[in-house]
Amino acid sequence: MRIPLSWLREFAQVPAGATAEDVMAELVKVGFEEEAVHRPTDALSGPIVVGQVLSLVKEPQTNGKTINWCQVRVVPEGQEQTLTGKGIDPSGIQGIICGAHNFVEGDKVVVTLPGAVLPGDFHISARKTYGHLSAGMIASVRELGIGEDHDGILVLSRIGLDPELGTDAMELLGLYDQAAEINVTPDRGYAFSIRGVAREYAHATGTSFTDPAAKVQAPAELAGGYGVKLNDDAPIYGKPGCDRFVARTVRGVDATKPTPLWMVSRLRLAGIRSISLPVDISNYVMLELGQPTHCYDLDRLSGDIVVRRAVAGEKITTLDDKERKLDVEDLLITDGSGAIGIAGVMGGAATEVSDSTTNVLVEAAHFDEVSIGRSRRRHKLPSEASKRFERGVDWQVAGIALQRVVDLLVELAGGTADDSGTDVGTAPDAVAIELPAAFAAARIGIDFTEEQIVTSLEDLGAAVVKNDDGWTVTAPSWRNDLETKEDLSEEIARLVGYDQIPATLPVAPPGRGLTRVQQQRRRLVQALADAGLTEVLAYPFVSKAANDTFGVAEQGTARKAVKLANPISEEQGYLRTSVLPGLIEVAKRNHSRGFRDLAVFEAGLVFLPGDSVGTPSIPPLGVKPSDEVLDALYDGVPDQPLHIAAVLTGHDSPAAAGHTPRAWDWADAVDIARLAGDVLGVEIVVSQGHHQAYHPGRAAQLALRSGEVVGYAGELHPKLLAAHDMPARSVALEFNADALFEAAADVIVAKHISGFPVATQDVALVVPQEIPADDVLAALREGAGELLEDVALFDVYAGKGIEDGKKSLAFGLRFRAADRTLTADEASAARESAVAMAAERFGAVQR
């Protein structure tokens, strides 16, 4: 919301020297956010004055153009020029070249004299051009930065002005004014008006507030006006789309009259361009009071106005000249010819006010927030009116805003208002809230005095009545967001001052803190970062092909996934079922920028839908759903386990003198998975794996001892790497972290460390090629007995000296006893027992 300071000063006590920054600093105290400052003088400076064209000589040029050599008086006749500067003629008459042709001798215009600066850092100076010394410029509205019209220069008489020569044109055009722009939260729709902001400024500064609505003398009752019917036969959540419609007729309007400059200036600073006098008046009142209004050409209406829902297949051409297909939920303004407006969003072209309009029907209505919000989003029609209606408008102010528009049409457009009028609808019940005396203090942490509570609520405009337990508070009509005692407590804290809330941290009760899973997740992520991997965040939106490739192990199997209703890109129209597609995109982007040695990981959710997703209907607002409804909602939410994935490309370290970096390989991916298991105290069983996204012979399956498969690790498939323009031999891994958390013990107990020396023995076994090394290792562990502390594979060999179809596996065995130093015979006996078990199971033979 942009707030012109000159406008704000009419209703709040803003100091004369206050800037937009000063105003925003005060409004921040009552919960608004600063956005921007709009100050024309930041890009525009004088001298810029009113001048009169004394003579105009048209001079054709060799390039085909015709220019005007003008003599322009910029001081009253008989007076001396008081401005000084290079190029300013002391006589008060400037010679100026102008290429526009929409003015004649005698016209009063805006003259930028030498020394002025226009938007775009355009400096005005006297310069030789077309054979003359042109000392200044006759300006258009675009050159002044106050509009988009560049067809010709600004002739002041055409906007109803006849100022004295030499008048400061910047002051005349309101260019010394400035606007503060604030961000208004969705629950405070009343602040989308000068009325609402002025009230909040008074709250912030402790000064008085003058309600602009109180200045309008609206009739107590209206009758006998244009026929209007409210006929909503399909209310959303049982709430009628329109519960008040007020209308008045103004006849004999001159729609071609120029909008007063003060109104144009304020509208421009507020971010709204001037269109025509009736439309500008409607917009001006909307900004002032927060109530959108609409003007219809009365002579183009046929029959009574009916407010109803659209019927299937109905269409309307809106004010932007676009034909729109309507939805049965759309609330419409209609007459005998059909739809003439989408209620609260945009009017129709059929009844638009034009230059030929003489009789105007003015509407001010109150619409349901949900109806307007849905229509606005459905038709992608954000408007100043819908912005206010979907946040809530004061029901009571509709008649006042209507009268304000009528008064301005009479005053500025020369119209005559009919005494009759229309006011149909039913006022909503006032919201009465019980506020216990100690409630606000208990919630906020400040011992508010009774005076602070009552004064704060009365300043809001609420009616406060004392009762036995506290107060009964009736919220003002413009605060539709105040419904509970919690809402009132927030308002009391806001107006007393957030700075009064003590900055003390509460003491956590015993036994609280991070949950077991939260601790495990933090420990795991930190361990991966400590191991040298960089955590990243990738988009959770992927293509169907990516889900089908990475989400399932077997090629050709489609992955069930959640399709987005309104995706950012059709190519990424699904929620991910694997974290790897996003990580690969991160790696590709880094490669394209020259970073090729990468080790990145992400801990993120994947989305695995069940048999049904969502529910047939959405529960209504304002009512807590039953347990059955909540259960159905939760059942429709996809399972979202935490997955951890990593992608490693290039080398493990930068090249340096005396150091040759090592290329990442599949074993590194497996080691990272094993590290995750070690951190959580979970044994991960690694075996030969098969997954369509991985190399057929360099992929490992990751499983728990229970047999549950939790992920895969290894080298990515060469075809996939080529398709994604990734370096060859890139490796990756992904596993279900939630499955590891569930399998982990609540408390990891460290093993006792023996103080006795270790005895190491190596053994090389020849086994058939198809037997997994992990199975042989498990047999050795089982056969060695309790003296075996650790066993690890350190070499695999096949080739010369090894029979075809077989391979040699070399293991290092480490033996230790808890109570004594082992002898060589004891260690050898344990080793032989281990070898015997491998020979029994797999026919293993020692080399």
Side-chain angles (χ1 to χ4, degrees), residues 37 55 73 119 126 129 152 198 302 316 358 391 400 410 416 425 465 494 590 628 654 711 715 722 747 772 819:
V37 171
S55 65
R73 181 180 291 280
T129 179
S302 60
I316 185 176
T358 56
R391 288 165 173 80
I400 296 170
V410 171
T416 302
V465 178
R494 185 172 69 88
N590 278 273
E628 292 78 11
E715 186 177 310
V747 178
D819 56 351

Side-chain angles (χ1 to χ4, degrees), residues 206-457:
T207 55
S208 62
F209 160 68
T210 302
D211 191 348
K215 294 183 175 183
V216 180
Q217 300 300 315
E221 294 183 358
L222 289 173
Y226 200 92
V228 175
K229 299 175 183 177
L230 306 183
N231 184 22
D232 185 359
D233 55 2
I236 298 176
Y237 298 143
K239 189 173 181 180
C242 178
D243 57 7
R244 189 180 190 188
F245 196 106
V246 192
R248 290 281 300 279
T249 298
V250 182
R251 302 181 188 275
V253 168
D254 184 357
T256 63
K257 280 193 172 184
T259 303
L261 202 57
W262 57 267
M263 183 179 287
V264 173
S265 174
R266 286 182 173 178
L267 289 173
R268 182 182 67 250
L269 265 181
I272 296 179
R273 66 184 179 91
S274 175
I275 298 174
S276 67
L277 181 57
V279 175
D280 291 349
I281 288 173
S282 178
N283 285 333
Y284 186 84
V285 172
M286 175 185 67
L287 292 175
E288 185 172 78
L289 298 175
Q291 168 69 53
T293 61
H294 188 72
C295 294
Y296 301 92
D297 187 326
L298 180 66
D299 299 324
R300 299 170 73 177
L301 290 171
S302 60
D304 291 349
I305 286 178
V306 179
V307 184
R308 61 169 174 81
R309 299 287 173 182
V311 297
E314 195 167 4
K315 296 180 180 179
I316 185 176
T317 301
T318 46
L319 289 174
D320 56 1
D321 290 326
K322 292 183 179 179
E323 186 179 75
R324 301 180 185 277
K325 185 176 180 181
L326 299 168
D327 187 270
V328 292
E329 270 195 353
D330 287 329
L331 188 70
L332 302 180
I333 310 297
T334 69
D335 67 359
S337 66
I340 58 173
I342 303 174
V345 179
M346 184 173 284
T351 56
E352 179 183 7
V353 172
S354 64
D355 289 348
S356 62
T357 298
T358 56
N359 300 317
V360 174
L361 180 71
V362 186
E363 162 219 309
H366 186 267
F367 300 114
D368 170 47
E369 297 92 332
V370 175
S371 290
I372 304 308
R374 289 190 179 182
S375 290
R376 191 267 300 170
R377 288 188 289 273
R378 183 180 298 116
H379 297 290
K380 296 180 176 61
L381 263 179
S383 64
E384 291 294 330
S386 65
K387 180 195 301 183
R388 288 160 176 80
F389 279 127
E390 66 180 315
R391 288 165 173 80
V393 171
D394 183 1
W395 191 95
Q396 301 288 352
V397 85
I400 296 170
L402 179 79
Q403 185 63 45
R404 178 76 163 131
V405 173
V406 169
D407 291 345
L408 288 172
L409 284 172
V410 171
E411 176 188 351
L412 303 177
T416 302
D418 287 0
D419 293 333
S420 60
T422 305
D423 190 351
V424 296
T426 305
D429 296 331
V431 178
I433 307 166
E434 298 299 324
L435 179 65
F439 185 82
R443 288 296 181 275
I444 306 302
I446 303 176
D447 291 329
F448 296 111
T449 65
E450 181 174 336
E451 180 183 3
Q452 286 177 316
I453 293 174
V454 174
T455 301
S456 297
L457 296 175

Side-chain angles (χ1 to χ4, degrees), residues 516-517 519-520 523 677-683 739-750:
R516 167 179 166 269
V517 171
Q519 291 174 341
Q520 290 172 324
R523 200 159 59 238
D678 292 343
V679 168
L680 299 174
V682 176
E683 183 181 358
L740 267 62
F741 297 155
E742 186 176 346
D746 290 341
V747 178
I748 301 175
V749 180

Side-chain angles (χ1 to χ4, degrees), residues 689-719:
H690 301 280
H691 192 291
Q692 60 177 323
Y694 292 86
H695 191 290
R698 299 172 189 152
Q701 176 181 281
L702 310 176
L704 303 177
R705 275 295 166 195
S706 63
E708 178 185 356
V709 177
V710 295
Y712 292 87
E715 186 177 310
L716 290 170
H717 199 290
K719 291 183 178 179

